[in-house]
Amino acid sequence: MANLSLKLEQKTKLMQVQRLTIQLLALHGQELTDFLQEQVTDNPLLDIRYHDVRGAGDKTEKPIDNIKSRSASLESQLMAQLRVLSVPKPVLLAAGLVIGSLDEKGFFQGDITSLGDGYGLTEEDIEKGLALVQTFDPPGIGARNICEALIIQTRRRGDGPPKTEALLTQHYDDFLRGKWPKIQQSLELSDKELRAIRDFLKTLSLQPAGQIEQDEVYIRPDVEIYLAEGGNLAFRWLEEIPDVYFREDLYAEYAAQKDKKTLSYIRKARRAFTDLASALAYRHLSIEQVLNCLLNRQEGYFLHGQPLAPLRQKDIAQETSLSTATVSRVCRNRYVLFDGKVYGLQTFFATAYNSQRDGEDFVSDKAIMKKMQALVDCEDKEHPYSDQDFADYFAAIHITIARRTITKFRQKLNIPNSNIRRRCR
């Protein structure tokens, strides 16, 4: 007798307009224009109208500085490697999302538990997509941290000295602190074997994306932040996005024929336009809300050059009533022009750390890293600051921060540990 069983499973089902909204949030500039032109081609009742985003009263063109984008070029090369693979569709989509979540150094910065939200992907799918990307070139791409990048490169190279991987997996913190005698004793290494491992590790890259030559890709910012009359911050759109409108005259002409197939077709065309108009309006409103919140929370940075205030995407989501996923899509690969320079929206976020200093409850990670860099620049060359020294310094000024977090910040700043800095001088 067949063994029958029932399984209750809950799945997210997105409406067409929701899928379209998610898709449009990820498009920028010319990509969005091309998409709208495709919609007009597919729907004969749509038409497109271009306009000057600077407005009729603006007679002078604003200078727009472009910046070289490492991540955009890296992403195109990784996507080219992905397209030639034959893998299940969920893994293919997950790998594409992982590639889109890499930072400019090639590290994976996404959240595995939520990255697949809105795409019907499970956490297991994202894990498989990440594992697939980590097999791509350059070795180490898609790693979540420097340690994982070094391990991936060691495995890919295949010519590493014995126990190299054991050193990285079991004694990474000791490796960072330069505790070679402890490592040598624990792994039972001879002086020659330890020296071979150290020489091998010097050949590995701390930044996976830095191993490849990338084409120069220039980015046009989406908006410009400027100082308006009265000393207030404001922004203007720099996207040259055309207007899409519905051909009511053609709709009335076709409807007058009273043919059932024709009526069914033009009604679908009207619904498609309504969905497109709603998605475009939501995209515009979402970007506007995020930018207004960002300007309000980081006003001190833009107006007075103060350190960035603690701010997370989750904070903006709570303040604007947008979902965290929407805020993430708005900020991903979106750029603003401010004071003649182009910045990614992601650069204006900062993690908060507790502070008991007068008039200050929290301090941002950017302010902490800025102070660390200043301390290194003027430190005693014979007695450089260790990570514990940094932690003790911040504790003395009533900023609570763990030593392992100090280590993470130092690595982000590309500052070698104190042992290496002492030897290099």
Side-chain angles (χ1 to χ4, degrees), residues 58-347:
D58 191 358
K59 301 299 183 181
T60 59
E61 183 176 357
K62 293 290 180 181
I64 298 178
D65 293 349
N66 292 332
I67 60 171
K68 186 187 298 184
S69 168
R70 173 176 294 275
S71 60
S73 178
L74 173 65
E75 182 174 339
S76 64
Q77 296 194 34
L78 294 176
M79 290 302 294
Q81 296 179 57
L82 179 62
R83 292 189 191 100
V84 300
L85 299 179
S86 177
V87 296
K89 188 174 180 180
V91 178
L92 190 71
L93 178 56
L97 293 174
V98 168
I99 291 173
S101 301
L102 300 180
D103 64 14
E104 62 178 9
K105 298 176 183 178
F107 292 106
F108 174 62
Q109 298 295 313
D111 182 5
I112 288 181
T113 59
S114 62
L115 188 60
D117 292 352
Y119 297 91
L121 299 176
T122 65
E123 186 174 335
E124 183 181 359
D125 292 330
I126 300 299
E127 289 278 8
K128 290 180 179 179
L130 177 60
L132 179 63
V133 172
Q134 290 181 348
T135 66
F136 291 176
D137 289 325
I141 204 72
R144 282 161 282 203
N145 49 56
I146 294 178
C147 180
E148 189 175 21
L150 295 176
I151 292 173
I152 293 173
Q153 291 177 69
T154 300
R155 291 172 179 172
R156 291 278 298 275
R157 283 274 296 269
D159 61 346
K163 299 185 179 180
T164 300
E165 188 173 336
L167 184 151
L168 293 171
T169 55
Q170 301 172 24
H171 299 280
Y172 184 67
D173 286 341
D174 294 328
F175 162 66
L176 292 178
R177 300 175 194 172
K179 295 185 177 180
W180 302 112
K182 178 180 177 181
I183 295 173
Q184 185 175 5
Q185 181 180 3
S186 177
L187 295 179
E188 298 180 351
L189 297 171
S190 65
D191 292 343
K192 183 178 180 180
E193 290 172 331
L194 179 62
R195 186 163 51 252
I197 292 177
R198 293 179 62 176
D199 292 341
F200 174 78
L201 291 175
K202 291 178 183 178
T203 66
L204 304 182
S205 176
L206 298 180
Q207 297 184 18
Q211 302 174 69
I212 59 175
E213 294 183 2
Q214 303 180 60
D215 299 331
E216 292 185 355
V217 177
Y218 292 89
I219 289 180
R220 185 182 181 91
D222 302 274
V223 297
E224 179 186 10
I225 297 174
Y226 66 98
L227 193 63
E229 294 182 6
N232 297 319
L233 286 170
F235 69 88
R236 60 169 64 92
W237 295 90
L238 298 177
E239 287 186 323
E240 297 178 356
I241 306 302
D243 293 327
V244 179
Y245 61 95
F246 192 71
R247 293 290 303 273
E248 294 288 353
D249 55 335
L250 290 179
Y251 182 86
E253 181 180 336
Y254 290 137
Q257 299 176 12
K258 297 184 178 180
D259 178 74
K260 288 185 177 181
K261 290 185 178 180
T262 302
L263 287 173
S264 176
Y265 178 80
I266 62 177
R267 285 167 184 165
K268 288 181 180 178
R270 181 185 283 278
R271 284 197 299 270
F273 166 74
T274 302
D275 288 345
L276 179 62
S278 298
L280 285 170
Y282 184 81
R283 176 185 182 273
H284 184 93
L285 179 62
S286 299
I287 297 174
E288 193 172 72
Q289 287 180 307
V290 170
L291 285 170
N292 282 328
C293 181
L294 193 63
L295 294 183
N296 180 55
R297 297 289 291 270
Q298 301 294 11
E299 184 178 23
Y301 172 82
F302 289 110
L303 293 181
H304 310 296
Q306 298 174 356
L308 287 171
L311 182 64
R312 301 169 298 171
Q313 291 184 359
K314 183 178 179 181
D315 300 328
I316 290 185
Q318 292 175 347
E319 189 167 324
T320 60
S321 298
L322 297 171
S323 69
T324 304
T326 297
V327 175
S328 176
R329 293 185 184 102
V330 167
C331 297
R332 185 179 302 162
N333 297 328
R334 186 159 273 113
Y335 296 86
V336 299
L337 175 67
F338 173 68
D339 196 24
K341 295 182 180 179
V342 178
Y343 301 86
L345 280 184
Q346 298 281 12
T347 62

